[in-house]
Amino acid sequence: MSLFRTKSIEQSIADTKEPEHELKKNLGVFDLILFGIGVCVGAGIFVLTGHAAATNAGPAIALSFLIAGAACALAALCYAEFASTVPVAGSAYTFTYATLGELLAWIIGWDLILEFTVGAAALATSFSQYLAVVLEGTWFEIPAAIATVENGFINLPAGLLILGLTAVTIGGIKLSSRLNQIITGLKVLVVLAVVVVGAFFVKVANWVPFVPPAEAPSGDGGADVFHLPIVQGIFGLEPSVFGIGGVFAAAAMVFFAFIGFDVVATTAEETRNPQRDLPRGIIGALAIVTVLYMAVSLVITGMQNYRDIDPEDGAPLATAFDAVGLPVMGNLIAIGACIGLIVVSMILLMGQTRVAFAMSRDGLLPVGLSKTHPRFRTPYRITIITGVVVAILAAFVPLSTLAELVNIGTLAAFVLVSIGVIVLRRTRPDLPRAFRVPWVPVLPILSAVICFYLMLNLTLDTWIRFLVWLAIGVVVYFLYSRRHSRLGKSESESVGAARR
């Protein structure tokens, strides 16, 4: 059996119409844009802005967001063409299966499982931290023993949040969409308040120099080798932070803030008119959040010199307003972040279940996991299992060291999707495409190169953990998935029939 056998577009679409695996179509373009904004406006804007500015880019963090947004825009065009051509759950996994073959599809699906699972758990943990800040000093203050794993024995709020969101996700895509619309509206209002109010406290002097000169990293360089971008080792560059290299390193770091449109693509089967609405939803969400990120980063580095930002501060936006004597804005931001992280966790949880659902329907994971609920038409079995696993991780495991795994996993998916567009144009030029990437193959190649370069700007320890996870996935594929693949079984039956 070939490791690079591909699943036809026609078969992928036919599988979506099987009664026991059919998802309910409830989403329009407005829902998709808000899903994208909802998952993007979270930890990236409330936490990573300050950390990346303080450690890598200074005021040029705005350029880092622009670079990351541009890379995403190129990848988004590729996603939009695929999503409008192959309106099937699974996102990059499904697209790769149709173009580059089963083994690579499994690897990227395994990669996405890690990305969404770790992301949902980490953001639930962030929610718990913000909730503790909001409730501090009130009758509802959370005891340290159940507030965090670091200072207690369980992060109870994070675990309970994931279990509650699991129930909401099972209840149907429309219920999830309504909750997302309400919370995303509140988050955007908070972000706009940060920009408008903060603009009155900006000091232009804090933006000079806009791109701080490169300097050696603090501490023992040898000891920090695992925490420096691998691009410095590959090209023999002196270890450094800030400068142009720091701007790109920060871009790789804040890429976490742009994974929203990747999740949008996982809802293809639940979109009423995917050929028209998915491209609009993906690109619309990306454009809006890029503008918001750049505006917030300029305001924060203008209010507070980047040298004064604590890179370990979990709430840098709130701290910036406290520093200029506006604690009420700091409290508003903390509340907005706390509420906002709820919906980010929910959308990542939902994205994980849709990828696993598609892999299960193809037989690469146990087929029984892809059975949908008779009333809600949601993949309730895989949702329950995913929810329990993520809740356990959020409740008992500190996940800060795994945050960059989300970035490298997303970038790897973008690289394969970009290549896949070129492959599908050559192998299936006859397919109707409601949206077409312009300037093929130049634009997809540029997308793949930029995304891979951003991967090289991630640290060595991130690459090691990522490769270990992929190695485990390859073992699982050869021990289970390859033998249970529906496509593989179909090929074997065809060969057997031909021999008879």
Side-chain angles (χ1 to χ4, degrees), residues 318-468:
T319 301
F321 281 97
D322 290 341
V324 296
L326 277 182
V328 65
M329 277 297 298
N331 293 334
L332 176 64
I333 292 168
I335 293 172
C338 183
I339 295 173
L341 288 167
I342 294 175
V343 77
V344 182
S345 299
M346 180 190 72
I347 298 174
L348 288 176
L349 183 68
M350 185 180 69
Q352 150 65 3
T353 62
R354 271 42 178 187
V355 172
F357 166 78
M359 296 174 73
S360 170
R361 189 167 57 189
D362 290 333
L364 302 185
L365 292 175
V367 175
L369 298 178
S370 60
K371 189 175 181 62
T372 55
H373 194 281
R375 176 184 173 188
F376 302 121
R377 309 310 302 176
T378 54
Y380 70 104
R381 290 180 177 177
I382 191 63
T383 300
I384 291 172
I385 293 172
T386 299
V388 171
V389 171
V390 175
I392 292 172
L393 288 174
F396 293 104
V397 181
L399 292 169
S400 57
T401 58
L402 297 178
E404 285 191 348
L405 278 173
V406 180
N407 292 4
I408 195 169
T410 304
L411 286 163
F414 290 177
V415 170
L416 287 180
V417 168
S418 300
I419 296 171
V421 166
I422 301 172
V423 173
L424 196 62
R425 284 282 188 97
R426 292 182 178 276
T427 58
R428 293 297 306 273
D430 57 304
L431 283 174
R433 291 169 169 83
F435 178 85
R436 298 176 67 89
V437 177
W439 306 314
V440 172
V442 175
L443 193 148
I445 291 174
L446 185 61
S447 171
V449 169
I450 292 176
C451 289
F452 185 69
Y453 181 72
L454 288 178
M455 290 176 69
L456 295 180
N457 279 273
L458 292 170
T459 58
L460 178 58
D461 56 346
T462 298
W463 272 88
I464 292 173
R465 287 192 291 265
F466 178 63
L467 293 175
V468 168

Side-chain angles (χ1 to χ4, degrees), residues 466-483:
F466 178 63
L467 293 175
V468 168
W469 174 256
L470 292 186
I472 295 172
V474 170
V475 172
V476 173
Y477 174 77
F478 283 103
L479 291 181
Y480 178 88
S481 304
R482 189 183 183 197
R483 293 186 292 110

Side-chain angles (χ1 to χ4, degrees), residues 122-363:
L123 288 167
T125 303
S126 297
F127 157 81
S128 179
Q129 293 172 345
Y130 271 103
L131 182 65
V133 172
V134 171
L135 298 180
E136 187 177 1
T138 71
W139 288 354
F140 304 101
E141 183 171 342
I142 304 172
I146 62 171
T148 66
V149 178
E150 292 85 350
N151 300 320
F153 64 92
I154 186 175
N155 191 329
L156 187 61
L160 292 177
L161 172 67
I162 292 297
L163 293 178
L165 292 177
T166 300
V168 171
T169 306
I170 292 173
I173 192 70
K174 201 62 180 178
L175 175 61
S176 302
S177 178
R178 288 287 176 259
L179 178 62
N180 175 58
Q181 288 176 12
I182 294 169
I183 294 180
T184 297
L186 293 173
K187 285 197 297 184
V188 171
L189 288 176
V190 170
V191 172
L192 291 176
V194 169
V195 175
V196 173
V197 176
F200 290 98
F201 296 90
V202 167
K203 297 179 180 178
V204 177
N206 286 332
W207 289 337
V208 180
F210 192 71
V211 180
E215 60 185 57
S218 59
D220 181 1
D224 290 334
V225 64
F226 286 98
H227 306 293
L228 290 172
I230 68 169
V231 68
Q232 295 180 358
I234 292 174
F235 294 105
L237 304 175
E238 285 293 324
S240 66
V241 293
F242 301 111
I244 297 300
V247 173
F248 277 94
M253 184 186 303
V254 301
F255 202 87
F256 177 80
F258 288 95
I259 65 173
F261 76 85
D262 178 67
V263 179
V264 171
T266 69
T267 65
E269 274 183 57
E270 295 157 284
T271 303
R272 288 190 293 269
N273 189 345
Q275 286 80 6
R276 182 197 67 188
D277 292 345
L278 277 168
R280 295 179 181 180
I282 290 171
I283 297 171
L286 182 62
I288 291 171
V289 298
T290 300
V291 171
L292 289 176
Y293 284 158
M294 293 184 67
V296 168
S297 60
L298 285 172
V299 166
I300 296 306
T301 54
M303 292 175 63
Q304 191 176 21
N305 190 283
Y306 73 95
R307 295 287 188 187
D308 298 328
I309 298 175
D310 180 4
E312 303 303 323
D313 187 356
L317 273 66
T319 301
F321 281 97
D322 290 341
V324 296
L326 277 182
V328 65
M329 277 297 298
N331 293 334
L332 176 64
I333 292 168
I335 293 172
C338 183
I339 295 173
L341 288 167
I342 294 175
V343 77
V344 182
S345 299
M346 180 190 72
I347 298 174
L348 288 176
L349 183 68
M350 185 180 69
Q352 150 65 3
T353 62
R354 271 42 178 187
V355 172
F357 166 78
M359 296 174 73
S360 170
R361 189 167 57 189
D362 290 333

Side-chain angles (χ1 to χ4, degrees), residues 31-92:
D31 300 301
L32 297 175
I33 289 176
L34 285 181
F35 266 129
I37 297 174
V39 74
C40 284
V41 181
I45 198 166
F46 290 120
V47 179
L48 292 181
T49 304
H51 179 76
T55 59
N56 282 288
I61 183 63
L63 293 181
S64 300
F65 276 116
L66 181 61
I67 292 168
C72 282
L74 295 174
L77 294 174
C78 299
Y79 265 85
E81 176 168 326
F82 261 124
S84 65
T85 308
V86 193
V88 178
S91 183

